Amino acid sequence: MEGINEKEEAQKGSSPAELGKWAEIQDTLKKRVITVDDFPWRLASQSESEPQQQQLKYVGGVDVSFSKEEPSMACGSLVVLDLLHDLRLVYQEYTCLSLDIPYIPGFLAFREVLMVDGNGLLHPRGFGLASHLGVIANIPTIGVGKNLHHVDGLTQSGVRKLLEAEENKAKGIITLRGNSGFIWGAAMRSEQGSLKPVFVSVGHRVSLETAIEIVNMTCKFRVPEPIRQADIRSREHL
């Protein structure tokens, strides 16, 4: 299946009443999303405009893995890496549990509440897991998805063609502008020679420009290192 078709997947999961309730919650919380930089730190590439601003030092990643033998068993993992010291691991934590809510793309926050390996604004209702987590916890978040939601005319094949266009090959990144003109995020090939992009979008309190820069700073492979390390550790404990 190319990308994610939310309607088809939702039909396999919970009842229409449950889906409607979840959508209502998302629409309510979406009003609180902040799409510009709103944090007390700065990146290394930014000038020190305020004396009290310190450089961003730590980047956290959260992910959830599921047992192949028992799909209801999941393990959530949190890692924190030191951005100023070659992404050195400085903290890790995990928890395993049994889940009774089925997986439904577009409603990840209702099952995998610790994941940042998901979308922010790049979502059918403009409020994916990264935004949900950011608003609830009131922390800056970035959405990094491995798959693309089919929204506002955006498709996996269309994105691939744009990335392979001569004018975009060297950059390895394109802005995801839908048919409506709205910018949902960006598709970027974060690893040299990678054929599969990751999809970066605003979660909460971080602009798209800053989100892209932080993803670039934390990529050793296709997936940003905080999320990759969280994924590795969550799988180890299943």
Side-chain angles (χ1 to χ4, degrees):
M1 181 177 66
E2 181 189 280
I4 298 174
N5 188 312
E6 185 192 33
K7 291 184 179 179
E8 292 180 2
E9 293 298 315
Q11 292 173 355
K12 304 175 185 177
S14 298
S15 69
E18 287 179 306
L19 295 177
K21 181 180 179 181
W22 295 349
E24 184 178 343
I25 292 173
Q26 288 180 327
D27 289 340
T28 299
L29 292 175
K30 181 172 66 175
K31 299 174 184 177
R32 294 161 53 186
V33 172
I34 297 173
T35 61
V36 297
D37 291 337
D38 178 33
F39 42 74
W41 38 262
R42 62 181 176 83
L43 301 181
S45 61
Q46 298 172 334
S47 60
E48 191 172 353
S49 57
E50 298 292 338
Q52 67 270 25
Q53 276 192 324
Q54 295 186 346
Q55 189 172 326
L56 175 63
K57 184 176 182 180
Y58 299 111
V59 178
V62 285
D63 193 12
V64 173
S65 292
F66 301 90
S67 170
K68 293 182 180 179
E69 292 73 25
E70 183 53 60
S72 64
M73 290 301 300
C75 182
S77 176
L78 163 69
V79 302
V80 178
L81 306 185
D82 190 333
L83 190 61
L84 304 183
H85 293 87
D86 197 32
L87 299 176
R88 176 171 56 90
L89 178 69
V90 296
Y91 179 83
Q92 61 177 314
E93 186 61 79
Y94 74 93
T95 184
C96 295
L97 67 161
S98 178
L99 304 173
D100 56 8
I101 298 177
Y103 169 75
I104 302 174
F107 292 104
L108 288 176
F110 291 92
R111 177 178 181 181
E112 303 161 336
V113 295
L114 294 178
M115 287 186 68
V116 292
D117 180 4
N119 296 289
L121 297 188
L122 182 53
H123 181 273
R125 278 171 302 283
F127 192 76
L129 177 61
S131 296
H132 198 133
L133 176 61
V135 168
I136 293 296
N138 192 28
I139 57 175
T141 56
I142 298 169
V144 181
K146 300 186 188 77
N147 297 301
L148 176 69
H149 275 294
H150 287 176
V151 58
D152 199 11
L154 295 172
T155 65
Q156 196 94 359
S157 59
V159 168
R160 189 180 303 116
K161 288 180 181 178
L162 286 173
L163 281 170
E164 293 174 354
E166 198 63 38
E167 64 270 21
N168 296 322
K169 277 186 177 180
K171 296 183 294 183
I173 183 170
I174 60 168
T175 298
L176 296 175
R177 187 185 298 273
N179 290 339
S180 67
F182 181 75
I183 296 177
W184 295 87
M188 59 184 295
R189 287 175 172 163
S190 49
E191 182 184 15
Q192 187 69 27
S194 175
L195 297 178
K196 295 182 178 180
V198 291
F199 302 96
V200 182
S201 59
V202 171
H204 183 55
R205 295 176 56 188
V206 178
S207 68
L208 181 59
E209 180 181 7
T210 297
I212 291 170
E213 184 169 355
I214 292 175
V215 169
N216 269 321
M217 293 168 66
T218 57
C219 279
K220 292 184 176 181
F221 303 96
R222 179 195 173 210
V223 177
E225 200 65 9
I227 295 176
R228 194 179 78 88
Q229 290 295 333
D231 176 68
I232 290 173
R233 283 159 175 75
S234 64
R235 294 178 188 276
E236 288 176 348
H237 296 296
L238 278 176

